[in-house]
C-alpha cells in the first residue's frame, strides 16, 4: 500500500510540474506574440504614416486700385461679376465666365517649412529659409531670404531678419503663453499670405544645436573656397579657416556658415557658402546614418530646437530625406537686389522672378499662383514710383538655381573684395568687373543689435552716406570735364586741377563705402 501511494504521489507531482511548464510556455509565447505584434504595428505605422496638413489655402480677399475685388470661392479667386458689369458691360461677363480657373486643390506629398537660425547676441534670425520637400519625386528645394530683405508689417518697414524679434515683442505685449511659438506661427502667417504658399511647420535652431549636430555626424567634409579670417568680440566670433578640403567640426562649421567679411556681395556671398555646406551636410548624414546617430540628433534637437513638429512627423521626414539624391536638391536665393534707402541697406525682391520660383518649387496646389494672388498687400515694396518699387517691379532681373550634385562636384565661386596676390593679378581686369554688374547690388555689412526693453525692440544700424550723394559728385565731375573742352587753355588747366581734386574726393568716398562693414 505504501509503495502504491508513493507512486501515485510521484505521478501527481509530474503531472503538476507538466502543467506549470505548459503555463510558462503559454506566457512566454504570449509575450513574444505581443512584442512581434507591436513591432509589426510600428513598422506598418512608420511605413504608412503621412503628416496631417492644412488643405485650405490661406488666401484672403484681394483688393485692387480699380475697386474690383477678387474673392475666394470654392478655393478659387474670381472677379466680382456684378462690379465688373458696371465697369465694362455685359460682354465681360462671358469672358470672365470662360476664363475661370479650376478649383484649387492641394497636391498630396508636398510639404513646406520655415527654417530660422537664431542669433547669439539678440533675437535676430540671420538664417531664414523656406524649404519644400516633395516626397513624390524625392526632391528638396530651399530658398534663402537675405537678412536685409525689405518687408512692411504693421505699418512699419522692417528688414526680414528683425521680424522675429518684432513678433516676439508683440506676443509678449499680448500676453501669449509661449511667445516663441506664437511669434513663429505669426511669422508663417505673414510669409504665407505674402508669397501665397503654405508653410506646414516651423523650426528655430540656435548655434549650440547646430554645432552639436555637426559633431554628432563626425564633422562635415567641405572644400573651403578661400581662407576665412574674422574676429568680432561683440558677437563672440573668431573665425580662422584655411582654404582647401577639410572636415569642419561643429564650431568651425558655425564659423563657415556665418562668415561674410570680404565677400563682394556680403550676405549673398554668405548664402552661397551655406548652399555649399548644406549639400555637404546632407551627403554626410546619408553616409553616416545609423539608429544611434539619429537618436543623438533628435536628443539635441529637442533640447535646442523650437518647432511645432511632432516626433512622428520628424521621423517621417527624416526617413524620406535619407533617400534624396543630391541631383534632386535645388537651392536658390530669393531674387532681388541690394540697395541703400534712407541710409539703410535693404534687399528688395523682384516680384516677377519670385513668383516664378514659387510656382516652380514651392507651390503645393494643382494650379499656378497668379500675379493677382501674389503679394496682394504689397508687403515687399514701399509704393509706386520709388527706387524700391522700381526694383520690385523690374522685368530684367535674373536668378540662379544651384543644384546639389553640381555643388558637390564643382563647388561654388564667391566673389570677394580681395584675395591672395596671385588671385588679384589674375582677376583684377576680368573676373571682378564681370562679377559686379550693378554697383548698387553690393550688400554691405552693418552693426545691428535688436534688444528687448520695456516691451519694445530697437533696431540700431550704422548710418552710411547714401548712393545718391555719390552719384551727384560723379555728375559734377563729368560736367566739369565737359566744360573743359570748350574753354581756353588757361581755363582748362585751372579746371583740370579742380576736377582732379573733386575726383580724388569722389574716389575716397566710393572706396570708403565699398569696404565699410
Amino acid at each position: 500500500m505504501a509503495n502504491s501511494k508513493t507512486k501515485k504521489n510521484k505521478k501527481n507531482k509530474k503531472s503538476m510540474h507538466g502543467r506549470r511548464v505548459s503555463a510558462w510556455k503559454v506566457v512566454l509565447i504570449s509575450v513574444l506574440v505581443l512584442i512581434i505584434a507591436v513591432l509589426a504595428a510600428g513598422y506598418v505605422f512608420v511605413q504608412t504614416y503621412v503628416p496631417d496638413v492644412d488643405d485650405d489655402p490661406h488666401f484672403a480677399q484681394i483688393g485692387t486700385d480699380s475697386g474690383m475685388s477678387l474673392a475666394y470661392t470654392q478655393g478659387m479667386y474670381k472677379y466680382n461679376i456684378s462690379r465688373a458689369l458696371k465697369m465694362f458691360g455685359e460682354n465681360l461677363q462671358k469672358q470672365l465666365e470662360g476664363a475661370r480657373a479650376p478649383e484649387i486643390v492641394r497636391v498630396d506629398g508636398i510639404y513646406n517649412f520655415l527654417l530660422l537660425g537664431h542669433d547669439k547676441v539678440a533675437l535676430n534670425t540671420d538664417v531664414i529659409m523656406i524649404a519644400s520637400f516633395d516626397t513624390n519625386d524625392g526632391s528638396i528645394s530651399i530658398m534663402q531670404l537675405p537678412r536685409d530683405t525689405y518687408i512692411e508689417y504693421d505699418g512699419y518697414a522692417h528688414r526680414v531678419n528683425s521680424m522675429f524679434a518684432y513678433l516676439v515683442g508683440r506676443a509678449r505685449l499680448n500676453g501669449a503663453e509661449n511667445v516663441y511659438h506664437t511669434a513663429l506661427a505669426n511669422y508663417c502667417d505673414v510669409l504665407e499670405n505674402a508669397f501665397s504658399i503654405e508653410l506646414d511647420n516651423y523650426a528655430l535652431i540656435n548655434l549650440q544645436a547646430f554645432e552639436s549636430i555637426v559633431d554628432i555626424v563626425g564633422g562635415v567634409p567641405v572644400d573651403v573656397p578661400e581662407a576665412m579670417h574674422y574676429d568680432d568680440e561683440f558677437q563672440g566670433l573668431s573665425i580662422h579657416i584655411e582654404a582647401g578640403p577639410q572636415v569642419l567640426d561643429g564650431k568651425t562649421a558655425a564659423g563657415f556658415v556665418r562668415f561674410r567679411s570680404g565677400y563682394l556681395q556680403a550676405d549673398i556671398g554668405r548664402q552661397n557658402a551655406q548652399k555649399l555646406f548644406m549639400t555637404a551636410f546632407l551627403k554626410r548624414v546619408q553616409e553616416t546614418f545609423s539608429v544611434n546617430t539619429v537618436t543623438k540628433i533628435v536628443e539635441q534637437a529637442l533640447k535646442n530646437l523650437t518647432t511645432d513638429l511632432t516626433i512622428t512627423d520628424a521621423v517621417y521626414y527624416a526617413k524620406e530625406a535619407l533617400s534624396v539624391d543630391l541631383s534632386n536638391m535645388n537651392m536658390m536665393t530669393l531674387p532681388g537686389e541690394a540697395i541703400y534707402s534712407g541710409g539703410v541697406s535693404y534687399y528688395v525682391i523682384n516680384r516677377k522672378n519670385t513668383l516664378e520660383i514659387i510656382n516652380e518649387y514651392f507651390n503645393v496646389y494643382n494650379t499656378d499662383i497668379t500675379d493677382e494672388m501674389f503679394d496682394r498687400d504689397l508687403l515687399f515694396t514701399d509704393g509706386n514710383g520709388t527706387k524700391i518699387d522700381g526694383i520690385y517691379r523690374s522685368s530684367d532681373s535674373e536668378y540662379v538655381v544651384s543644384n546639389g550634385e553640381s555643388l558637390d562636384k564643382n563647388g561654388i565661386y564667391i566673389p570677394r573684395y580681395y584675395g591672395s596676390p596671385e588671385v588679384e593679378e589674375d582677376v583684377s581686369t576680368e573676373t571682378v568687373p564681370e562679377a559686379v554688374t550693378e554697383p548698387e547690388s553690393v550688400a554691405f555689412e552693418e552693426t545691428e543689435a535688436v534688444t528687448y526693453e520695456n516691451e519694445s525692440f530697437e533696431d540700431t544700424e550704422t548710418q552710411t552716406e547714401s548712393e545718391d550723394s555719390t552719384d551727384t559728385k560723379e555728375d559734377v565731375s563729368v560736367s566739369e570735364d565737359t566744360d573743359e573742352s570748350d574753354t581756353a587753355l588757361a581755363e582748362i588747366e585751372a579746371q583740370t586741377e579742380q576736377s582732379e581734386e573733386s575726383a580724388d574726393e569722389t574716389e575716397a568716398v566710393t572706396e570708403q563705402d565699398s569696404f565699410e562693414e
Side-chain angles (χ1 to χ4, degrees):
M1 291 290 294
N3 291 335
S4 178
K5 289 182 178 181
T6 302
K7 290 179 180 180
K8 188 175 181 180
N9 290 336
K10 288 181 178 180
K11 185 177 180 180
N12 291 337
K13 287 181 180 181
K14 287 181 180 181
S15 177
M16 292 175 63
H17 179 69
R19 285 197 296 271
R20 284 199 297 269
V21 171
S22 298
W24 278 110
K25 285 183 179 180
V26 170
V27 173
L28 181 60
I29 292 173
S30 299
V31 171
L32 289 174
V33 169
L34 180 61
I35 293 174
I36 293 172
V38 170
L39 292 175
Y43 176 81
V44 171
F45 176 79
V46 170
Q47 294 300 318
T48 60
Y49 176 80
V50 176
D52 186 27
V53 295
D54 190 353
D55 292 330
D56 296 327
H58 291 170
F59 301 152
Q61 182 169 320
I62 303 175
T64 65
D65 294 337
S66 66
M68 284 195 305
S69 64
L70 294 172
Y72 179 71
T73 304
Q74 295 295 324
M76 183 61 207
Y77 285 111
K78 62 181 181 181
Y79 284 105
N80 185 319
I81 300 300
S82 60
R83 175 67 177 175
L85 286 174
K86 294 178 182 178
M87 299 177 65
F88 304 109
E90 295 182 353
N91 289 336
L92 183 60
Q93 182 176 8
K94 296 179 181 179
Q95 296 176 9
L96 294 176
E97 290 286 353
R100 287 179 182 176
E103 180 182 355
I104 293 180
V105 177
R106 178 159 184 164
V107 178
D108 293 335
I110 305 177
Y111 308 94
N112 288 342
F113 310 90
L114 174 63
L115 308 176
L116 304 175
H118 194 288
D119 195 319
K120 267 186 176 180
V121 176
L123 288 175
N124 296 343
T125 54
D126 283 354
V127 176
I128 309 160
M129 297 185 292
I130 294 175
S132 182
F133 187 12
D134 188 342
T135 59
N136 300 309
D137 60 12
S139 65
I140 293 178
S141 301
I142 298 174
M143 180 170 65
Q144 299 164 290
L145 278 65
R147 65 195 294 274
D148 294 341
T149 299
Y150 180 91
I151 187 170
E152 293 187 355
Y153 186 71
D154 274 358
Y156 300 98
H158 303 265
R159 292 190 296 187
V160 74
N161 77 320
S162 66
M163 277 290 294
F164 177 67
Y166 178 83
L167 292 171
V168 166
R170 197 178 70 167
R172 290 184 189 277
L173 290 173
N174 293 335
E177 183 176 351
N178 191 313
V179 294
Y180 273 32
H181 280 285
T182 300
L184 288 168
N186 290 338
Y187 208 141
C188 285
D189 289 340
V190 172
L191 295 182
E192 279 179 331
N193 289 322
F195 289 130
S196 294
I197 61 174
E198 291 292 327
L199 291 170
D200 301 301
N201 296 105
Y202 56 75
L204 173 70
I205 189 171
N206 59 32
L207 283 174
Q208 181 181 349
F210 174 83
E211 294 175 7
S212 298
I213 291 173
V214 171
D215 288 333
I216 287 171
V217 299
V220 177
V222 175
D223 188 355
V224 180
E226 292 190 45
M228 300 177 171
H229 297 287
Y230 181 75
D231 291 289
D232 185 338
E233 294 183 2
F234 177 70
Q235 297 188 67
L237 280 175
S238 180
I239 303 171
H240 297 283
I241 309 171
E242 298 301 330
Q246 55 196 287
V247 177
L248 304 181
D249 61 15
K251 184 177 180 180
T252 310
F256 180 85
V257 300
R258 297 185 71 189
F259 179 87
R260 67 171 179 167
S261 177
Y263 286 154
L264 185 62
Q265 294 175 298
D267 193 47
I268 304 301
R270 175 166 62 179
Q271 291 192 339
N272 286 335
Q274 291 170 357
K275 292 181 179 73
L276 188 65
F277 181 83
M278 285 188 288
T279 300
F281 179 76
L282 177 61
K283 183 178 180 181
R284 182 65 169 174
V285 171
Q286 291 176 337
E287 292 173 346
T288 61
F289 173 75
S290 68
V291 175
N292 184 49
T293 300
V294 172
T295 302
K296 290 181 178 179
I297 291 176
V298 170
E299 181 182 355
Q300 281 298 321
L302 291 176
K303 288 180 180 179
N304 300 288
L305 195 68
T306 304
T307 182
D308 61 345
L309 272 171
T310 64
I311 294 296
T312 49
D313 286 354
V315 170
Y316 172 82
Y317 295 129
K319 174 178 68 71
E320 295 293 329
L322 289 172
S323 61
V324 173
D325 190 85
L326 291 181
S327 62
N328 283 334
M329 183 178 182
N330 293 305
M331 293 167 284
M332 69 287 301
T333 296
L334 179 68
E337 183 178 331
I339 66 166
Y340 271 95
S341 179
V344 180
S345 63
Y346 288 114
Y347 184 88
V348 182
I349 79 166
N350 176 263
R351 180 185 180 94
K352 174 179 173 290
N353 289 341
T354 302
L355 181 55
E356 288 180 6
I357 284 180
I358 292 298
N359 279 320
E360 179 69 21
Y361 298 99
F362 300 94
N363 185 6
V364 300
Y365 299 108
N366 65 332
T367 185
D368 282 350
I369 302 301
T370 66
D371 186 66
E372 289 80 12
M373 295 178 188
F374 181 79
D375 192 22
R376 56 194 169 276
D377 295 322
L378 301 178
L379 299 184
F380 296 111
T381 183
D382 62 348
N384 294 328
T386 64
K387 189 174 185 180
I388 287 178
D389 196 61
I391 297 173
Y392 175 76
R393 300 184 187 278
S394 172
S395 58
D396 299 329
S397 63
E398 298 178 351
Y399 60 91
V400 176
V401 177
S402 301
N403 181 263
E405 185 177 42
S406 176
L407 289 174
D408 182 50
K409 292 180 179 179
N410 306 316
I412 191 168
Y413 171 63
I414 306 174
R416 301 183 72 159
Y417 283 124
Y418 53 82
S420 63
E422 294 78 13
V423 173
E424 289 180 352
E425 292 176 1
D426 292 338
V427 304
S428 59
T429 60
E430 295 181 3
T431 305
V432 171
E434 291 176 359
V436 188
T437 56
E438 286 286 340
E440 64 186 16
S441 69
V442 178
F444 299 90
E445 184 159 359
E446 65 286 334
T447 303
E448 180 185 84
V450 181
T451 57
Y452 180 75
E453 182 178 2
N454 297 329
E455 308 299 331
S456 65
F457 288 91
E458 179 177 353
D459 194 355
T460 305
E461 300 166 341
T462 301
Q463 300 295 318
T464 61
E465 186 171 353
S466 66
E467 290 184 29
D468 293 337
S469 63
T470 303
D471 293 339
T472 302
K473 292 182 179 180
E474 292 175 350
D475 291 339
V476 170
S477 177
V478 171
S479 87
E480 287 175 353
D481 290 340
T482 303
D483 292 339
E484 288 173 0
S485 64
D486 299 323
T487 59
L489 180 60
E491 293 176 345
I492 292 176
E493 292 175 352
Q495 291 183 359
T496 300
E497 181 178 357
Q498 182 180 0
S499 176
E500 290 175 351
E501 293 175 355
S502 177
D504 290 338
E505 293 175 359
T506 302
E507 182 179 359
V509 172
T510 304
E511 182 178 359
Q512 180 180 0
D513 285 347
S514 298
F515 287 92
E516 184 171 358
E517 296 269 337

